[in-house]
Amino acid sequence: RISRRVIAEQHLHIANARPGYIGSIAAALDVADAVDFAGQRAVQVCMEAYGVAPEVVVSGDLSARLPYLPSHLDYMLYELLKNSMRAVVERHRGATYSTRRRMPPVQARVCSGGTHLSIRISDQGGGLPMEHLEQVWSYGFTTSASGVPDLEQPQQQHTQGEASSASGSSSGSDADASADDSSIDDSMPAAAAAAG
């Protein structure tokens, strides 16, 4: 599905030339800006779910550019940063943090070389238990325990509430509503895409 979608989008966008783009591919995507943008969205969702969020610190080669599909990079970065934030908050939420000592940040380091670019995301969330190593590459796998807020839940409830108020309904239901993001294909697992 992803490959067909990319081909279709490329075909549609190639006729509508935009500065800095070749079809739907950004010719020189600013990687640090992409990390920062995904980090801001992940912080917002984490704040809605937990009431607190670690900051995202971007370092390394802040001038790195990459020819890439912006929506695909954003999807991968957002999912990875969201996972890191959940781990940090769940591990450190019981601690008392004063204004001088804040929750440990999520670090995103951009490293570029002659032919390669990598983005290293690290956190102090405690890591993955060894018993989950075999399952980590399975699509849809999560370590989220029941009763722990899902970071997507507040956005979905907010979207559902807007739809209800727009239609004149005032339902107080907590049913899941799936937010539709037409620029990102939900069938792409972030970990597998980041590894490839």
Side-chain angles (χ1 to χ4, degrees):
R1 279 179 27 179
I2 296 169
S3 60
R4 288 183 297 216
R5 184 177 186 160
V6 168
I7 291 169
E9 286 177 354
Q10 182 69 2
H11 177 73
L12 293 172
H13 287 114
I14 205 81
N16 303 325
R18 297 181 292 168
Y21 282 81
I22 301 168
S24 56
I25 300 168
L29 180 63
D30 186 324
V31 178
D33 279 352
V35 174
D36 188 52
F37 179 71
Q40 289 175 21
R41 291 186 9 209
V43 164
Q44 180 182 3
V45 170
C46 190
M47 286 295 292
E48 290 173 4
Y50 292 105
V52 64
E55 68 177 316
V56 177
V57 177
V58 183
S59 62
D61 186 356
L62 302 180
S63 62
R65 302 285 189 269
L66 173 72
Y68 208 76
L69 293 162
S71 61
H72 289 220
L73 183 60
D74 180 64
Y75 179 77
M76 291 182 283
L77 290 169
Y78 173 69
E79 290 297 322
L80 292 170
L81 290 168
K82 188 176 65 166
N83 290 345
S84 285
M85 287 182 184
R86 189 189 95 202
V88 169
V89 170
E90 288 177 2
R91 181 175 179 117
H92 296 277
R93 102 172 105 188
T96 304
Y97 292 95
S98 66
T99 55
R100 295 179 66 185
R101 184 172 176 263
R102 296 179 290 180
M103 187 169 285
V106 173
Q107 302 283 339
R109 183 164 183 82
V110 179
C111 304
S112 63
T115 59
H116 292 78
L117 184 136
S118 63
I119 303 166
R120 179 183 177 184
I121 297 174
S122 57
D123 60 56
Q124 294 181 33
L128 185 70
M130 294 296 285
E131 63 266 14
H132 294 306
L133 286 180
E134 292 296 319
Q135 300 164 295
V136 75
W137 298 109
S138 300
Y139 181 75
F141 171 73
T142 181
T143 58
S144 180
S146 60
V148 174
D150 179 2
L151 291 184
E152 289 299 317
Q153 189 66 26
Q155 266 188 332
Q156 292 170 351
Q157 287 177 353
H158 183 69
T159 303
Q160 182 184 16
E162 287 176 355
S164 296
S165 63
S167 66
S169 169
S170 60
S171 170
S173 171
D174 286 336
D176 288 341
S178 63
D180 178 30
D181 186 349
S182 59
S183 67
I184 299 170
D185 191 335
D186 289 341
S187 65
M188 182 172 75

